[in-house]
Amino acid sequence: MYKAKAYSAASATAPLASTVIQRREPTERDIQIEILYCGICHSDLHTVRDEWNSVMPTIYPCVPGHEIVGRVTKVGSAVTKFKPGDLAGVGCLVDSDHTCPSCKADLEQFCGNATFTYNSPDKHLGGVTYGGYSDSIVVDEHFVLHVPANLNLAGVAPLLCAGITTYSPIHRWGDIKGKKVGVVGLGGLGHMGVKFAKAFGAHVVVFTTSTGKNEDALRLGADEVIISTDAEQMKQHAGTFNFILDTVAADHDLNAYINMLGLEGNITLVGAPDKPLALSSFALLFGRRSVSGSLIGGLAETQEMLDFCGKHNITSDVEIIPIQRVNEAYERLVKSDVKYRFSIDMASLKSE
Ligand code: NAP
Ligand code: ZN
């Protein structure tokens, strides 16, 4: 074992603070990574504040972070995919059983024995896994991604969660070229959803509660913007969407968006509010519409997404912060005041 610098929360109400954690020495299949940037996902905040207690209670201390990009510092003897000096990415998963039907179908995110990057039982050290708000991490090579060399690394980090979480459902939906696609919420996930839907040729419409995000939405690739609190604007678009991606992190009126769908339209939820959303059967019955969900993506699909981003020069629009400003960033996240992902420059951890 060795010591790594990190930021952790001691309880649901404590701010994140500097700490030292233990990491394992790389085993023969492991890769040790010096973390350069880590994005701040709203899931980090949900977890740190134990907002998902009813589904996934948080074990403290909690070191969040699952949008990790860095450089390989050491590899185990059986590692074949990476060598020291290579760029590397780690997302929400660090292990799975490799034998279940989900793993065999390259859908490791649905493995019943998956280990998430933080707040999951740690098979090596006991306790729970610690995430990317740290200067280094050790991960089985199967769960480490190759990062395209042409992209800005601070903007790549959020691709490891916000990127794959939006790429996967949009890509899986089918040929969305020319289709009317809505993205609800222009935050970390939402702004990546806009970029991917645009890259796949959709007519992209952003639903936002923030009047100040209009210009940014258009710059990011949206064709139209709807202020979702304006009943008249919502009415004009009712029944016209083929597909909507809902990224909202808090309670909201799901039925209002279902009513935006046309015949057999689908709304896919990726946002994970702590409380259940009310669902009107009638909104689904009329138009044979459907609601579904999507969870990150498997490793192969995540690599495909990163390669796609490399080819099309897609990164997240980030506000780079030192780790010392992480608590302030969380307060801004709650207020939907993020343009459009915080990316922590992990060099700032050196001074702790
Ligand atoms: P974020 O950056 O905070 O963005 C969420 C956006 O939702 C906000 O910017 C805001 O956009 C909108 N919003 C917030 N409160 C709202 C409200 N009360 N009503 C309507 N809209 C509201 O969060 P994120 O990191 O993108 O994450 C979004 C959600 O996805 C979180 O719940 C997170 O845990 C979840 N998530 C799921 C997966 C998955 O695999 N399914 C992966 C990662 C994250 P406007 O200002 O434009 O309205
Ligand atoms: Zn995330």
Side-chain angles (χ1 to χ4, degrees):
M1 285 196 299
Y2 71 97
K3 288 187 167 66
K5 289 183 178 183
Y7 256 53
S8 75
S11 76
T13 51
L16 287 148
S18 181
T19 189
V20 172
I21 56 169
Q22 302 284 345
R23 297 284 194 195
R24 68 177 181 269
E25 285 296 337
T27 68
E28 59 177 13
R29 305 169 62 86
D30 281 338
I31 293 180
Q32 184 188 49
I33 299 162
E34 179 198 6
I35 301 175
L36 299 175
Y37 293 96
C38 184
I40 299 181
C41 179
H42 208 114
S43 303
D44 301 351
L45 187 152
H46 288 305
T47 306
V48 161
R49 299 191 176 175
D50 204 14
E51 292 174 353
W52 289 339
N53 180 279
S54 59
V55 190
M56 292 183 278
T58 304
I59 311 290
Y60 296 94
C62 171
V63 178
H66 57 206
E67 296 186 333
I68 298 165
V69 74
R71 210 168 271 288
V72 175
T73 45
K74 214 190 249 184
V75 299
S77 56
V79 166
T80 56
K81 275 167 57 185
F82 290 87
K83 58 180 189 322
D86 286 350
L87 290 174
V90 177
C92 304
L93 293 166
V94 290
D95 205 359
S96 68
D97 64 23
H98 302 283
T99 54
C100 71
S102 295
C103 283
K104 285 188 175 150
D106 288 328
L107 297 169
E108 296 91 342
Q109 74 271 37
F110 303 123
C111 170
N113 298 307
T115 303
F116 291 92
T117 306
Y118 58 82
N119 200 42
S120 248
D122 186 329
K123 288 178 195 158
H124 298 265
L125 298 181
V128 289
T129 49
Y130 292 141
Y133 295 10
S134 174
D135 56 4
S136 86
I137 193 164
V138 177
V139 180
D140 180 305
E141 77 163 326
H142 181 74
F143 297 87
V144 183
L145 288 310
H146 286 287
V147 170
N150 60 316
L151 299 178
N152 167 280
L153 290 184
V156 166
L159 300 179
L160 277 305
C161 175
I164 184 59
T165 301
T166 50
Y167 175 93
S168 178
I170 293 170
H171 195 229
R172 210 171 48 240
W173 189 82
D175 186 6
I176 63 165
K177 204 166 189 305
K179 297 282 189 326
K180 190 168 175 182
V181 170
V183 175
V184 189
L186 197 66
L189 266 56
H191 92 289
M192 290 312 307
V194 169
K195 291 189 185 206
F196 287 127
K198 192 69 197 170
F200 291 131
H203 178 88
V204 185
V205 182
V206 166
F207 292 95
T208 179
T209 57
S210 307
T211 47
K213 292 183 181 173
N214 209 314
E215 267 178 39
D216 283 347
L218 298 174
R219 177 180 55 77
L220 290 163
D223 297 288
E224 293 179 76
V225 182
I226 297 174
I227 305 296
S228 53
T229 48
D230 182 332
E232 198 46 47
Q233 286 188 39
M234 291 290 275
K235 208 168 128 196
Q236 277 171 21
H237 290 264
T240 62
F241 283 82
N242 300 103
F243 176 74
I244 296 176
L245 187 69
D246 183 340
T247 76
V248 176
D251 189 29
H252 60 291
D253 183 4
L254 178 61
N255 302 307
Y257 297 104
I258 297 176
N259 285 326
M260 294 291 126
L261 295 169
L263 185 64
E264 297 189 332
N266 169 266
I267 180 164
T268 295
L269 308 181
V270 286
D274 52 347
K275 300 211 172 49
L277 300 171
L279 177 67
S280 155
S281 309
F282 286 100
L284 290 180
L285 305 185
F286 285 92
R288 208 149 65 194
R289 298 147 165 165
S290 63
V291 180
S292 46
S294 190
L295 182 73
I296 47 173
L299 273 298
E301 194 180 26
T302 306
Q303 189 62 62
E304 175 192 306
M305 178 273 310
L306 285 168
D307 295 345
F308 181 88
C309 288
K311 198 168 159 204
H312 297 272
N313 218 6
I314 294 173
T315 51
S316 171
D317 282 34
V318 290
E319 196 175 322
I320 301 173
I321 59 160
I323 193 139
Q324 290 79 7
R325 282 180 50 205
V326 67
N327 294 301
E328 186 191 316
Y330 274 36
E331 290 313 311
R332 286 183 51 196
L333 211 53
V334 172
K335 293 183 201 141
S336 304
D337 175 23
V338 46
K339 306 278 168 36
Y340 279 88
R341 196 59 142 187
F342 292 108
S343 186
I344 305 169
D345 180 353
M346 223 42 84
S348 60
L349 200 48
K350 290 191 202 306
S351 65
E352 293 284 343

